[in-house]
């Protein structure tokens, strides 16, 4: 039997090369290497907060695959359900360094090993050992087989009485068109318990403008909790039981890199809910880790340990 996990997630981790000097990406001459990927960010964040977390993916039998597996293991993430293939390579990306705004990111992930994840890779015992499943829509955008895996994993966990969270993580360039993206993600949302969109994402997905209306759209479709990220202003939440509220954001001294902020927010909300904290406190923790993320250069550099999180939140009171 698999050892019990607090949470499990799946997706495509990538080797990331990020420029060491600011400027156009094509002019960069020096890069550093790190682990990247929305789901691996969340797994890392949960693990640093002492939640036993498993990560499921498929990697190429190459140097990038070895690097990713070791990076995940160093974070204390369970990698026993990772599979490997000689046929397809591990995905990678390169990212620019900016002094303000969002960095330029270029992906090399078409026909990657992770995009070949399929139902044949689904280990029922492994998923059943976890109390919670976190999903992003990125997996469904990678391939038909990844989408089938996503649907099956969500349905399996729901039927097993586990909780499921979904971060839409919109990546328009990965989808054939906007209509397919919107319809697929909205279908995924009906299969989760906790939905975590940004306000801009919610507007694209529903055509509605206010946090209250966007939350209502998903609550009417069976979601039990909707938390909408509002950037520096914080977040809004509403439950199927009618509990709702706005939670202020934390002061950010300087925005260094916005990539990974949403994943940090998810880490905060999910970890707190798994600890059975009140929803308002969970959203507050999400805001705190999101703030730490944007003040740090890498995708996961700002993800705190439990001690670091407490210090930041106490200092911000």
């Amino acid at each position: 039997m698999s050892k019990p996990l607090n949470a499990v997630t799946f997706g495509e981790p990538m080797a990331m090369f990020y420029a060491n000097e600011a400027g156009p990406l094509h002019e960069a001459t020096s890069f550093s290497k790190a682990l990247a990927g929305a789901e691996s960010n969340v797994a890392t964040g949960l693990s640093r907060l002492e939640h036993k977390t498993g990560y499921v993916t498929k990697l190429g039998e190459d140097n990038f695959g070895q690097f990713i597996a070791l990076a995940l293991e160093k974070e204390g993430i369970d990698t026993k359900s990772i599979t490997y293939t000689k046929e397809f390579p591990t995905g990678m990306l390169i990212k620019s360094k900016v002094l303000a705004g969002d960095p330029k990111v270029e992906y090399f992930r078409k026909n990657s090993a992770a995009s070949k994840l399929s139902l044949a890779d689904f280990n029922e015992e492994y998923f059943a050992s976890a109390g919670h499943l976190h999903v992003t829509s990125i997996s469904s955008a990678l391939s038909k087989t990844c989408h089938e895996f996503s649907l099956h994993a969500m349905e399996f966990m729901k039927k097993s009485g586990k909780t499921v969270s979904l971060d839409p993580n919109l990546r328009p360039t990965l989808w054939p068109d906007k209509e397919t993206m919107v319809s697929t993600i909205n279908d995924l949302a009906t299969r989760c318990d906790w939905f975590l969109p940004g306000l801009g994402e919610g507007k694209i997905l529903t055509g509605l403008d206010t946090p209250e209306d966007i939350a209502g759209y998903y609550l009417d479709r069976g979601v039990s909790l909707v938390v909408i990220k509002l950037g520096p202003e914080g977040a809004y939440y509403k439950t199927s039981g009618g509990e709702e509220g706005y939670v202020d954001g934390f002061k950010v001294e300087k925005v260094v890199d916005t990539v990974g902020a949403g994943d940090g927010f998810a880490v905060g909300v999910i970890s707190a809910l798994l600890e059975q904290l009140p929803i308002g406190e969970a959203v507050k923790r999400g805001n705190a880790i999101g703030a730490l993320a944007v003040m740090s250069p890498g995708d996961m550099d700002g993800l705190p340990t439990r001690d670091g999180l407490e210090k930041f939140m106490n200092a911000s009171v």
Side-chain angles (χ1 to χ4, degrees):
M1 290 289 291
S2 297
K3 292 183 180 179
L5 299 169
N6 294 115
V8 64
T9 189
F10 60 90
E12 179 168 33
M14 289 170 286
M16 172 177 68
F17 291 86
Y18 58 96
N20 292 325
E21 64 270 4
L25 191 50
H26 68 276
E27 293 181 1
T29 58
S30 173
F31 293 83
S32 295
K33 185 173 68 171
L35 173 64
E39 302 86 1
S40 55
N41 290 344
V42 173
T44 297
L46 290 173
S47 184
R48 289 183 186 177
L49 292 179
E50 301 168 20
H51 286 274
K52 186 63 178 175
T53 304
Y55 191 96
V56 177
T57 190
K58 188 186 286 284
L59 299 172
E61 291 188 9
D62 49 36
N63 286 299
F64 287 161
Q66 289 182 46
F67 163 72
I68 288 169
L70 284 172
L72 292 169
E73 289 167 8
K74 284 179 182 177
E75 290 290 349
I77 297 165
D78 189 284
T79 60
K80 293 184 181 66
S81 203
I82 290 178
T83 54
Y84 296 84
T85 176
K86 292 181 179 179
E87 296 180 69
F88 303 98
T90 304
M92 61 162 285
L93 65 92
I94 55 175
K95 184 172 78 168
S96 69
K97 181 177 182 178
V98 294
L99 300 178
D102 296 335
K104 169 76 173 177
V105 180
E106 202 164 310
Y107 295 97
F108 300 86
R109 67 199 305 182
K110 189 174 182 180
N111 288 319
S112 67
S115 72
K116 305 303 177 182
L117 195 69
S118 71
L119 292 180
D121 301 303
F122 188 84
N123 183 328
E124 282 197 2
E125 181 185 314
Y126 190 77
F127 277 83
S129 73
H132 178 77
L133 169 67
H134 179 66
V135 184
T136 81
S137 74
I138 298 171
S139 295
S140 286
L142 295 179
S143 68
K144 180 182 178 182
T145 60
C146 280
H147 180 53
E148 291 170 349
F149 188 101
S150 298
L151 294 176
H152 184 74
M154 296 176 84
E155 290 169 0
F156 176 83
M157 294 297 275
K158 290 278 280 188
K159 288 177 181 177
S160 301
K162 314 300 178 78
T163 49
V164 178
S165 56
L166 173 66
D167 185 335
N169 257 293
L170 295 194
R171 299 289 190 276
T173 58
L174 294 178
W175 295 92
D177 52 66
K178 180 182 176 182
E179 291 72 22
T180 302
M181 178 180 75
V182 169
S183 63
T184 303
I185 295 175
N186 282 337
D187 176 64
L188 289 171
T190 66
R191 303 164 191 270
C192 77
D193 299 288
W194 311 332
F195 189 48
L196 311 172
L199 181 59
E201 292 176 321
K203 290 179 178 181
I204 292 170
L205 293 170
T206 66
L208 302 171
D209 292 322
T210 69
E212 292 85 354
D213 287 344
I214 293 167
Y217 178 93
Y218 292 104
L219 293 172
D220 288 345
R221 286 159 175 77
V223 178
S224 57
L225 167 66
V226 180
V227 186
I228 299 174
K229 294 162 280 192
L230 304 175
E233 285 72 42
Y236 167 82
Y237 69 90
K238 188 171 184 179
T239 72
S240 55
E243 185 180 349
E244 66 179 315
Y246 282 87
V247 180
D248 291 338
F250 284 75
K251 184 179 180 181
V252 172
E253 296 296 337
K254 181 183 178 183
V255 175
V256 176
D257 190 333
T258 57
V259 177
D263 303 325
F265 181 87
V267 168
V269 172
I270 294 166
S271 64
L273 291 177
L274 292 180
E275 294 162 29
Q276 299 185 325
L277 294 182
I279 294 170
E281 288 300 308
V283 178
K284 182 179 180 181
R285 182 185 288 185
N287 288 341
I289 301 181
L292 283 167
V294 301
M295 290 190 285
S296 304
D299 290 16
M300 55 183 67
D301 292 349
L303 297 172
T305 60
R306 188 165 291 277
D307 183 55
L309 175 62
E310 289 178 1
K311 287 180 178 177
F312 176 72
M313 294 185 73
N314 289 337
S316 301
V317 172

